[in-house]
Amino acid sequence: MPIVSESELERRRQEILEAARTCFARYGYEGATVRRLEEASGKSRGAIFHHFGDKENLFLEIARADADRQADVVARDGLIEVMRGILRDPSHHEWLVTRLEIASMLRTDTTFRAKWQQHQESLDAAVRERLRSNLARDSMRTDVSVDVLQAFLETLMDGFITRLSSGQDFAEMEKVLDLAEGAIRGN
């Protein structure tokens, strides 16, 4: 049996992730069956499960990778800039339409909820830190707590994703994001 290099294994893993992202975007979480994941990635069930264990872990890995990427943007520019990035390139974020299905799973499946929260912690921590940093620089309103502002931003993001998921027009969304940014800054 030939030995496969670490770089080749990582390349295959990334191919599976990108194909799965597309498959989840097209079919949703439930509709992205293992068979469809095999077809999308061109990899066998064994190869997919070798890298990720099961469909849930594959999905959570996509969520974690996106949360980490978004956390980097939040650290530099804030969560609203993440949403602006989605506006600029919605096709790269199409898998987020699964968020509606995920909301139901979060409500009913405590094990999945715990895993999801663990995978989203990097983003949550980045938002908290960004808000605290803005507060320390006096570039943010002070009449409400950081926790309230974080809840506001998360609610805005959820609504933003819902609009994306339902195919609604984004024509006015830049203005909505400007309004939200002004609300957080207190101007």
Side-chain angles (χ1 to χ4, degrees):
M1 188 160 131
I3 297 175
V4 179
S5 70
E6 287 299 317
S7 63
E8 177 61 18
L9 285 173
E10 182 57 26
R11 184 188 66 74
R12 291 176 188 178
R13 187 176 188 281
Q14 290 305 313
E15 285 177 354
I16 293 168
L17 281 171
E18 287 309 310
R21 178 187 307 276
T22 302
C23 191
F24 286 123
R26 183 169 186 192
Y27 299 107
Y29 180 82
E30 290 300 326
T33 62
V34 175
R35 184 178 193 172
R36 284 181 169 151
L37 290 167
E38 288 176 306
E39 290 169 1
S41 68
K43 306 285 190 260
S44 70
R45 175 181 310 246
I48 294 168
F49 289 162
H50 167 75
H51 289 284
F52 300 100
D54 59 24
K55 179 176 124 174
E56 181 178 288
N57 283 325
L58 172 58
F59 181 82
L60 288 169
E61 180 58 24
I62 294 169
R64 186 206 54 77
D66 275 13
D68 288 350
R69 247 188 327 273
Q70 290 172 354
D72 290 342
V73 174
V74 167
R76 282 189 320 274
D77 304 310
L79 187 60
I80 290 177
E81 187 57 34
V82 169
M83 290 179 259
R84 291 187 198 284
I86 293 169
L87 280 178
R88 286 189 295 274
D89 186 14
S91 64
H92 185 71
H93 302 278
E94 287 177 332
W95 84 277
L96 289 172
V97 300
T98 61
R99 191 78 172 249
L100 300 177
E101 289 175 88
I102 298 311
S104 176
M105 293 169 65
L106 293 173
R107 186 175 54 80
T108 60
D109 185 338
T110 57
T111 304
F112 183 82
R113 183 182 327 126
K115 290 178 185 178
W116 176 265
Q117 288 170 337
Q118 177 186 3
H119 284 76
Q120 296 297 299
E121 179 51 35
S122 64
L123 180 57
D124 293 344
V127 171
R128 274 190 305 277
E129 181 54 36
R130 174 74 179 186
L131 290 170
R132 287 182 183 133
S133 173
N134 284 348
L135 184 61
R137 290 192 327 253
D138 285 334
S139 61
M140 188 176 77
R141 67 187 306 154
T142 59
D143 60 328
V144 293
S145 71
V146 166
D147 291 339
V148 169
L149 291 171
Q150 183 163 0
F152 171 74
L153 285 170
E154 289 170 356
T155 302
L156 178 66
M157 182 74 155
D158 288 343
F160 187 84
I161 291 169
T162 299
R163 285 186 74 94
L164 175 68
S165 301
S166 63
Q168 293 183 26
D169 185 20
F170 277 103
E172 299 297 319
M173 285 308 294
E174 278 290 343
K175 291 177 185 172
V176 169
L177 295 177
D178 289 344
L179 180 64
E181 198 165 41
I184 289 177
R185 294 191 191 293
N187 54 18

